[in-house]
Amino acid sequence: MAVIGIMSAMHEELAAVLAVMPDEQCVRVVGRDFWVGHWQGHDVVAVLSRIGKVAAATTATVLLERFKIDALVFTGAAGGLSAEAQVGDVVVASGFVQHDMDASPLFPKHEVPLYGRARFDTDTALSQGLAAAARQVLSDLAQHLGPQAIADFHLLAPRVHRGLIVSGDRFVSTTAERQALQQSLSDALAVEMEGAAVAQVCLDYGVPFSAVRTISDRADDDAHIDFSRFIRDVASRYSLAILSQWLMHR
Ligand code: SAH
């Protein structure tokens, strides 16, 4: 049976996943805890990605080399860049770019040297499955979130988007920085700190990859406000519900 790797960016998310994997066993490799078990009848290895491109690339490499995963899904939060990606929405990545990669003038800005490309596409079938699961979950919010969280974060009609996510080793938390990113990568929906690195590793190994991110902030001067509470009360619950729904129909 195919082994599915799940990388969570946050402790709260991973804890929620482990709570529904009754038989998981912990295998410790390079300082990371890999949780091997079953979920919705699938062989699953769940692990905390750690934050930033290098840490996430190392985690992905161990999943691929040691645990021989056949597909990899990343879940976490992201800052909304485009006007449509509002707090509480979900973005399923169709591709990734490293927004802080710049070897110009030797290579075009954003191109990863020797790969001949800036953009790393995600697997279409994986992305479609995740988007369908996300739409299902968001259509019945009250089943997954408490009424207080829905009210406090103004989650009236959250939406699922598919498109480009950009990654870099920076928590984008000023309006000026967000605008600069929007100018240089105008089709980007969201920004985070790991996905493009994992997409590059998965391309090297020829293993399908996709990612689902809840918009936790607008990557502006208010980005840090309520971040932890949003992760606990909204993003980690979305992740659990979306992954569960996706695995159930896989
Ligand atoms: N305080 C948090 C970590 C914050 S780093 C903790 O203790 O876990 C932010 C994480 O969310 C990263 O994994 C990144 O991928 C994502 N993220 C959310 N909003 C972001 C933004 N505006 N800019 C960059 N990354 C963001």
Side-chain angles (χ1 to χ4, degrees), residues 87-156:
V87 170
D89 286 1
V90 167
V91 177
V92 176
S94 56
F96 281 99
V97 168
Q98 292 183 39
H99 67 71
D100 54 358
M101 173 60 76
D102 187 359
S104 61
L106 303 177
F107 296 88
K109 191 173 180 188
H110 299 134
E111 182 171 312
V112 180
L114 312 186
Y115 282 75
R117 67 172 83 198
R119 182 180 165 123
F120 293 74
D121 286 333
T122 56
D123 183 77
T124 307
L126 271 187
S127 299
Q128 274 168 356
L130 289 168
R135 275 192 291 271
Q136 179 74 36
V137 167
L138 293 197
S139 70
D140 189 5
L141 218 53
Q143 192 187 328
H144 308 288
L145 304 184
Q148 197 65 47
I150 293 177
D152 289 355
F153 292 107
H154 312 291
L155 305 176
L156 296 176

Side-chain angles (χ1 to χ4, degrees), residues 27-52:
V27 182
R28 199 167 170 80
V29 185
V30 293
R32 290 145 168 84
D33 289 334
F34 292 82
W35 298 90
V36 182
H38 295 88
W39 189 9
Q40 301 284 20
H42 294 273
D43 285 335
V44 164
V45 185
V47 62
L48 206 59
S49 66
R50 300 203 172 183
I51 293 170

Side-chain angles (χ1 to χ4, degrees), residues 156-233:
L156 296 176
R159 294 166 57 200
V160 178
H161 311 276
R162 289 177 69 184
L164 179 69
I165 298 182
V166 296
S167 314
D169 287 323
R170 214 159 58 218
F171 184 74
V172 178
S173 57
T174 64
T175 304
E177 212 179 335
R178 184 184 80 196
Q179 285 168 347
L181 272 182
Q182 277 179 297
Q183 259 168 15
S184 72
L185 290 155
S186 58
D187 54 343
L189 298 182
V191 58
E192 38 86 309
M193 301 176 68
E194 298 86 15
V198 179
Q200 185 177 330
V201 172
C202 286
L203 177 79
D204 285 339
Y205 281 85
V207 166
F209 168 67
S210 192
V212 49
R213 294 269 188 175
T214 301
I215 301 299
S216 55
D217 60 89
R218 288 284 303 154
D220 57 13
D221 299 329
D222 297 332
H224 61 288
I225 299 174
D226 283 345
F227 184 83
S228 306
R229 211 190 125 214
F230 183 86
I231 299 306
R232 188 189 67 216
D233 292 347

Side-chain angles (χ1 to χ4, degrees), residues 1-5 64 67-72 206-208 250:
M1 194 172 30
V3 181
I4 298 169
L64 289 152
F67 297 92
K68 307 292 178 200
I69 56 164
D70 300 291
L72 179 50
V207 166
R250 196 179 144 86

